[in-house]
Amino acid sequence: KVIPDDPAIASLQSFAATGVPSRSELMQKFPDVANAMLSAINQPDPNQGIVERLTESAFSLVKVRPVGNIEGETPDAMIARMENKLRNGDLQGAALEWNGLPEAARTASADYKKSLDARIEVENLVGGTLTRAITSTGKQG
């Protein structure tokens, strides 16, 4: 009602039909997404022998991945930093980490990235709309 002709309103209405995941939903879904990305990257060598395949199969039962602000440019480090940034509220930073991942990881997590991008866009639209509303109210008052 304060600024009904704000161009962000139309953009926000497009999200109203589909909804946007909350920050906590993004965080809850991330461990499964991280495992899917790592699985997509760490495909077994088709030429490995039976012993290597059995060992690989045994290790696949236990999911171990680094967490926190890990240094390096390995996919494991980027995924760990992505999770850390999500946990600390840095959605933009998490999206940037995702952009640096190998194609296989990005393909495995494309739907998650769409959700992350939608959350970022909605927060930016709402923030900009509120700023303009406050600014216009201050000028009128």
Side-chain angles (χ1 to χ4, degrees):
K1 290 183 177 184
V2 176
I3 48 175
D5 58 342
D6 190 302
I9 301 300
S11 297
L12 286 169
Q13 286 175 335
S14 69
F15 287 108
T18 58
V20 177
S22 68
R23 285 174 173 248
S24 64
E25 287 174 313
L26 288 169
M27 203 48 233
Q28 287 172 340
K29 292 178 182 177
F30 190 77
D32 290 337
V33 172
N35 288 336
M37 289 188 287
L38 290 170
S39 291
I41 295 166
N42 299 320
Q43 293 295 313
D45 180 0
N47 298 321
Q48 65 186 191
I50 187 74
V51 173
E52 289 88 4
R53 275 191 257 155
L54 287 172
T55 304
E56 180 100 16
S57 179
F59 281 122
S60 72
L61 297 174
V62 178
K63 303 288 184 199
V64 178
R65 61 182 175 80
V67 294
N69 192 20
I70 307 298
E71 291 184 25
E73 295 307 312
T74 65
D76 289 10
M78 287 188 258
I79 291 169
R81 286 194 305 269
M82 187 177 173
E83 182 174 25
N84 190 53
K85 289 176 181 183
L86 286 168
R87 185 165 284 135
N88 291 313
D90 182 4
L91 301 183
Q92 289 284 120
L96 289 173
E97 290 290 348
W98 185 90
N99 290 338
L101 289 169
E103 182 66 31
R106 290 193 316 263
T107 300
S109 60
D111 288 340
Y112 185 85
K113 178 64 162 53
K114 287 178 189 173
S115 295
L116 177 60
D117 287 344
R119 177 88 244 159
I120 292 167
E121 186 175 350
V122 165
E123 288 187 8
N124 288 339
L125 288 167
V126 169
T129 303
L130 289 174
T131 299
R132 286 186 295 280
I134 290 168
T135 304
S136 71
T137 304
K139 290 178 183 176
Q140 294 172 5

